[in-house]
Amino acid sequence: MSENNNQKDTHSGLGLIFLIGFMGCGKTTLGRKLASRLGYEFMDLDHILEAQVGMNIADYFSIHGEDAFRKLESEVLKQTVYPKHAVISTGGGLPCFFDNMQWINAHGRSVYIQLSPKTLADRLEHEKTKRPLLRDKYGEALIAFIDEKLQEREPFYKKATFIANGLSLTAEKAEALLK
Ligand code: S3P
């Protein structure tokens, strides 16, 4: 676990905690557990977007395309009304478009849940129906796709306040890191 800078919350409470990382890294699972430990609200920006447009992300992608999705997810990030303290799970691509990562770090702190392409592929192999970018990719082709995307995305993910090893990260550890 490493800390990218010395930014620490000085007021009581932890403010907004954004969990970022590739699809399948465990943002939602960890986010729910962390929020429940802290007694904070858990928010999932993918779910907020789906509720706003009244359809799931896979359908939104196929009807409107990726560019429209990226604009919308950035608007959802910036226009959602957040409570003072919350744990927020973000879509895997969100930190890598527009100034989203800068916005995240200006409004709270972020944790990058880091995992290798092989581990991500193992987790995602049977979890692809809701994820339009991964459709039709299996086995070695899935690992190669994740490897390439992760190389593109890591420079953005690595702007996170904290970088955590996704293999050993627990809600307890995340809490200790953030306090
Ligand atoms: C995406 C990740 C998904 C979702 C969309 C695009 C991406 O979120 O936002 O399918 O570009 O990595 P999860 O990371 O929650 O699966």
Side-chain angles (χ1 to χ4, degrees):
M1 207 108 63
S2 65
E3 191 177 344
N4 264 351
N5 56 45
N6 293 322
Q7 232 183 308
K8 284 273 178 196
D9 228 17
T10 45
H11 58 273
S12 61
L14 300 179
L16 301 181
I17 302 158
F18 292 89
L19 302 182
I20 69 166
F22 207 80
M23 293 173 268
C25 73
K27 291 163 289 192
T28 303
T29 308
L30 179 82
R32 282 190 197 288
K33 289 185 187 158
L34 180 60
S36 132
R37 268 186 84 79
L38 297 169
Y40 292 171
E41 191 175 330
F42 172 69
M43 303 168 84
D44 183 325
L45 291 182
D46 277 344
H47 291 165
I48 294 173
L49 182 151
E50 288 178 330
Q52 281 186 16
V53 295
M55 70 177 92
N56 65 43
I57 287 173
D59 288 343
Y60 191 89
F61 252 74
S62 60
I63 296 169
H64 301 284
E66 182 169 351
D67 288 356
F69 172 78
R70 296 303 174 194
K71 282 195 194 122
L72 184 60
E73 76 172 349
S74 184
E75 281 166 25
V76 170
L77 168 73
K78 295 170 187 175
Q79 286 166 17
T80 292
V81 177
Y82 299 97
K84 195 166 175 204
H85 309 292
V87 179
I88 302 138
S89 165
T90 62
L94 181 141
C96 317
F97 290 85
F98 310 110
D99 60 347
N100 294 346
M101 198 59 216
Q102 235 175 299
W103 192 95
I104 284 175
N105 286 333
H107 290 82
R109 291 180 299 164
S110 49
V111 180
Y112 168 33
I113 307 174
Q114 189 175 40
L115 282 174
S116 71
K118 173 79 176 76
T119 305
L120 291 166
D122 288 345
R123 293 187 181 194
L124 289 164
E125 190 74 56
H126 304 289
E127 286 261 329
K128 290 185 299 199
T129 41
K130 290 192 208 140
R131 291 176 162 119
L133 292 178
L134 302 179
R135 282 218 176 124
D136 311 321
K137 295 182 183 75
Y138 300 91
E140 287 303 315
L142 180 62
I143 301 177
F145 173 81
I146 295 173
D147 193 36
E148 198 186 316
K149 271 266 173 258
L150 207 50
Q151 284 185 41
E152 271 170 46
R153 288 182 172 186
E154 273 215 314
F156 297 93
Y157 293 156
K158 285 185 169 170
K159 291 181 182 162
T161 321
F162 303 99
I163 299 174
N165 178 347
L167 283 180
S168 56
L169 186 63
T170 59
E172 290 85 337
K173 282 190 188 170
E175 181 181 1
L177 180 71
L178 289 153
K179 274 190 167 163

